[in-house]
Amino acid sequence: MISHGKELKVFAGNSNPALAVGICQSLGKKLGDSVAKRFADGECSVSVHEPVRGADVFIVQSTCKPVNDNMMELLVMIDAMKRASAGRITAVIPYFGYARQDRKTKSRDPISAKLVANLITRAGADRVLTLDLHANQIQGFFDIPVDDLRGAHLFANHFVDRFGKGNPDVMVVSPDVGSVGRVRSFAHKLEMNMAIVDKRREVANQSEVMNIIGDVRGKTVILLDDMVDTAGSLCNAASALIELGGAREIYACASHGVLSGNALERLAASPIRELTLLDTIPFPADQPACDKIKYLSVAPVFAEAIERIYEEVSISTLFE
């Protein structure tokens, strides 16, 4: 039961328009009429071509590459809606950039994730809706409500359809110790055993695999991670599972396909048979297609969350 008279409106920036359209289709709504463009000097300009006064506005914008351009575009869109007297503004950020800069790792480091949280709040957002934050504590960086959705059930459904539930020949593997909690929950959904790849990272975006905790010999392995950036860690883990652990075949899945640098070349040369990603970030337009990559849509998940927020009912069931 809608307890207010506001109209629901969904707008999109330029980072992931296809996902925004999918969300609107799931909601049975038309995407809001707005344009975000660049001036000759690179400045961001936003024009909103329909009234939003008193409306419940949702702005869909992943802060993926080019991160700073997309972040600034989000901030300007929030400001435009606020100055147009929107009733409530929700920043829908399927992929939250700067999430890996969530703490100081050495002297005089910034905590950029906190800075970004401050910018979004001060721009005028009333709440944030995102998916699979790299670090859960980022929710506490905001002084406004943050709903961090989960994508694991999409992967669970995908792999249950492929391998069935409780298949003894399939194991779920964490690519590092830091992901054990997420992977344990995922393995519980699939009713499968799990293993851990123990690695040591000496330099950013590089890792050295040390050993494998668990017996994966002769098994089909599902690697689960929250994001794939340069794909170095994922491909090293996959190679170790084959060469050291004796795994039979490797499947991988991750919520966010950042796919920076030569990630696609690494994936093509790796023993990974298939990498399943969520469409929080579009496939790089300047890269050739990769046969190993498959996308699952998060549009229905975000659409349901948006509808529940609009109707002011609980969304806690979406976290289960």
Side-chain angles (χ1 to χ4, degrees):
M1 178 80 180
I2 299 173
S3 59
H4 54 73
K6 301 174 184 176
E7 183 182 359
L8 187 159
K9 295 196 174 189
V10 179
F11 293 86
N14 292 317
S15 68
N16 200 342
L19 176 57
V21 169
I23 291 172
C24 287
Q25 289 175 344
S26 295
L27 287 169
K29 288 277 184 180
K30 182 180 178 182
L31 185 64
D33 188 3
S34 67
V35 176
K37 58 184 179 180
R38 300 277 183 275
F39 289 117
D41 63 354
E43 289 184 4
C44 175
S45 171
V46 171
S47 299
V48 182
H49 298 304
E50 63 180 83
V52 296
R53 184 176 298 273
D56 205 352
V57 171
F58 295 82
I59 302 171
V60 181
Q61 177 79 335
S62 282
T63 51
C64 51
K65 188 171 64 174
V67 180
N68 296 330
D69 288 348
N70 286 329
M71 178 66 69
M72 194 64 198
E73 192 173 283
L74 173 63
L75 298 175
V76 173
M77 290 188 75
I78 293 171
D79 185 69
M81 299 300 176
K82 187 176 182 64
R83 294 178 186 278
S85 301
R88 181 171 62 178
I89 302 168
T90 300
V92 182
I93 311 174
Y95 169 71
F96 187 86
Y98 285 100
R100 285 172 284 183
Q101 298 185 48
D102 62 304
R103 65 194 183 280
K104 294 181 70 171
T105 57
K106 61 182 185 297
S107 299
R108 295 174 294 279
D109 269 1
I111 304 180
S112 303
K114 170 60 176 170
L115 173 61
V116 170
N118 290 344
L119 289 170
I120 292 171
T121 304
R122 290 301 298 269
D126 295 296
R127 69 186 305 128
V128 169
L129 179 61
T130 186
L131 183 138
D132 284 338
L133 283 171
H134 182 69
N136 290 330
Q137 64 265 27
I138 292 174
Q139 295 177 75
F141 293 175
F142 287 87
D143 295 323
I144 55 177
V146 177
D147 294 310
D148 183 20
L149 303 176
R150 296 288 181 259
H153 69 282
L154 296 172
F155 294 129
N157 293 338
H158 172 71
F159 287 112
V160 165
D161 288 342
R162 171 163 286 186
F163 300 117
K165 184 175 287 190
N167 190 330
D169 296 323
V170 183
M171 288 186 70
V172 178
V173 175
S174 174
D176 54 49
V177 175
S179 300
V180 168
R182 180 187 298 111
V183 174
R184 181 181 290 115
S185 175
F186 182 62
H188 180 71
K189 292 177 187 294
L190 295 176
E191 298 179 6
M192 295 175 182
N193 293 326
M194 67 171 289
I196 304 168
V197 176
D198 182 25
K199 68 183 181 183
R200 180 175 62 200
R201 189 186 302 273
E202 302 287 353
V203 183
N205 292 326
Q206 295 182 20
S207 64
E208 177 185 356
V209 173
M210 301 299 291
N211 52 52
I212 298 167
I213 304 171
D215 185 8
V216 299
R217 187 165 302 278
K219 303 286 188 180
T220 293
V221 164
I222 303 172
L223 274 166
L224 173 71
D225 211 345
D226 67 321
M227 70 172 67
V228 178
D229 188 356
T230 61
S233 296
L234 191 69
C235 292
N236 287 345
S239 296
L241 287 165
I242 294 289
E243 296 167 9
L244 302 179
R248 184 163 59 89
E249 59 181 356
I250 309 291
Y251 291 82
C253 56
S255 298
H256 311 295
V258 181
L259 304 178
S260 302
N262 59 348
L264 295 178
E265 289 81 357
R266 282 196 178 111
L267 287 168
S270 77
I272 295 173
R273 182 169 180 177
E274 180 183 273
L275 170 61
T276 306
L277 300 171
L278 303 181
D279 60 348
T280 58
I281 301 174
F283 186 82
D286 58 345
Q287 296 288 339
C290 179
D291 294 337
K292 290 187 176 182
I293 296 179
K294 175 184 179 65
Y295 282 92
L296 302 178
S297 178
V298 293
V301 177
F302 276 101
E304 184 174 355
I306 288 171
E307 189 169 38
R308 286 170 175 261
I309 291 170
Y310 171 64
E311 294 178 351
E312 297 183 352
V313 298
S314 173
I315 67 169
S316 60
T317 55
L318 299 182
F319 303 127
E320 296 175 359

